[in-house]
Amino acid sequence: MRKKHIVLHPQLSIHEISLSSGIPEHKLRYYERQGILRPPRSNENTYRYFEANEMYLALNCQLLRSLGFSMQETKYILHESSREEYRDMLENRADEIDREIERLFAARRRIWGMLNHLDTPPGQITLRQRVALYGIYSTRKKYYQIGNDELNRLTKETNRRLPDCFMCYVISPEEFFSGAEHLTEEWGRFSSKPFADDNGLVETLPASLCVCGVLSSPIRVPFTRTDFAPFLQYIEDNDLEICGKTIGEIFNLFGKNRKKKLVSVSIPVRPKK
């Protein structure tokens, strides 16, 4: 069977444009409705006849849309933008893609971290390096003494940082040193990236070697010293000492037992002096 070759004439029907470009006819009609393609109507009938250049506009429209440009931006690029504007729009889009790549890497790190918590049996304790973390607290009174505008700004910033930003409990080393059974925790939102700290509200937890694991269920908040007994024993047995704030997340495990929780633990330590 002989192949059918499409010959480009000065004027092409929408069917010929579709065959030549591989773009479905319904999509070409959509491009026309959006003002990307502007074929004149024939005086003899109501058919639309496209110039050959319209096919290249359609192909460039497909390309720009695949790069993430909106239809409005695509229309502006193809019909109105200057060379300099086109370059600026491409550079801006490249920056947006870089930020999206960064967000996806953060999402993957979070997923692997959550999987690690799920796969770690209670009682299994490991030493790991914790990166520096930057946090704002939601349980400190001074938060509400600076006005709602700043509070809202910081809260919105943490929401924009998802999935890199997470809510966690924080226990100071003094709580463990005191020997009291009941521990007092704070709650905050922490991220691996610094915040714009205008009012001294952002606290930095430096990178540190940490004793890590998960608490055994059932867990109730506020925590008790008994909850952390295996970790404290591990620290003692390995001639370590607590050197910073303990943090961790609480995950609700849904299913038949909706009250079951998974609590991660990260206690900064160093060798005893």
Side-chain angles (χ1 to χ4, degrees):
M1 184 176 178
R2 296 182 63 186
K3 274 190 174 182
K4 184 177 180 181
H5 295 279
I6 303 299
V7 180
L8 291 180
H9 298 289
Q11 289 187 327
L12 304 170
S13 69
I14 192 170
H15 180 65
E16 290 174 312
I17 287 283
S18 178
L19 288 176
S20 300
S21 65
I23 302 173
E25 291 183 29
H26 71 86
K27 187 167 284 189
L28 291 170
R29 293 190 182 95
Y30 173 67
Y31 290 166
E32 183 183 356
R33 291 195 300 271
Q34 296 299 316
I36 301 295
L37 305 181
R38 302 169 180 177
R41 299 261 177 185
S42 171
N43 293 330
E44 300 176 0
N45 52 49
T46 59
Y47 293 140
R48 299 179 300 278
Y49 288 100
F50 296 82
E51 301 291 338
N53 183 57
E54 299 287 327
M55 184 181 71
Y56 302 117
L57 279 174
L59 290 170
N60 275 281
C61 178
Q62 267 200 326
L63 171 62
L64 292 170
R65 294 287 286 147
S66 72
L67 295 176
F69 288 102
S70 67
M71 185 59 74
Q72 185 177 3
E73 290 170 328
T74 298
K75 181 179 177 181
Y76 182 81
I77 289 172
L78 294 178
H79 290 289
E80 299 180 45
S81 70
S82 65
R83 184 186 184 93
E84 291 73 20
E85 289 175 319
Y86 187 20
R87 180 181 180 81
D88 288 343
M89 294 179 75
L90 287 173
E91 288 181 343
N92 290 337
R93 181 60 190 144
D95 291 340
E96 291 174 0
I97 291 172
D98 287 340
R99 288 192 292 270
E100 180 63 13
I101 290 172
E102 188 176 350
R103 189 195 69 80
L104 290 173
F105 273 116
R108 186 174 67 175
R109 288 194 300 270
R110 289 284 283 143
I111 289 171
W112 282 115
M114 294 168 73
L115 286 172
N116 181 67
H117 295 326
L118 288 170
D119 294 339
T120 301
Q124 179 177 311
I125 300 173
T126 58
L127 280 173
R128 294 180 189 165
Q129 188 71 24
R130 188 177 76 190
V131 299
L133 296 172
Y134 307 87
I136 56 174
Y137 289 91
S138 56
T139 53
R140 291 185 176 177
K141 289 183 179 179
K142 73 173 183 178
Y143 227 76
Y144 299 94
Q145 296 172 354
I146 61 167
N148 290 330
D149 289 344
E150 184 66 10
L151 175 62
N152 290 337
R153 183 188 72 79
L154 290 169
T155 302
K156 288 178 181 178
E157 175 67 17
T158 60
N159 289 333
R160 284 194 297 268
R161 290 183 177 214
L162 289 170
D164 180 66
C165 196
F166 54 93
M167 175 70 79
C168 64
Y169 67 85
V170 183
I171 301 175
S172 69
E174 289 75 23
E175 290 292 317
F176 293 111
F177 298 156
S178 70
E181 176 62 16
H182 293 283
L183 306 174
T184 301
E185 78 281 340
E186 292 185 288
W187 293 88
R189 297 187 180 194
F190 282 80
S191 170
S192 60
K193 296 180 182 178
F195 289 83
D197 182 8
D198 299 326
N199 291 279
L201 296 173
V202 178
E203 180 173 338
T204 301
L205 302 182
S208 176
L209 183 66
C210 292
V211 172
C212 301
V214 296
L215 297 182
S216 301
S217 294
I219 298 297
R220 293 181 177 85
V221 179
F223 299 111
T224 66
R225 189 179 183 85
T226 302
D227 294 329
F228 294 88
F231 297 90
L232 299 176
Q233 189 62 51
Y234 179 92
I235 292 170
E236 182 66 27
D237 292 344
N238 289 274
D239 292 324
L240 302 171
E241 62 181 4
I242 300 174
C243 62
K245 293 187 176 182
T246 297
I247 68 168
E249 293 181 84
I250 297 181
F251 303 96
N252 287 313
L253 301 181
F254 299 106
K256 294 182 179 179
N257 185 358
R258 292 181 177 269
K259 293 184 179 180
K260 190 175 181 181
K261 294 178 173 60
L262 176 69
V263 181
S264 66
V265 179
S266 175
I267 307 176
V269 294
R270 66 189 175 198
K272 279 186 178 178
K273 295 180 180 179

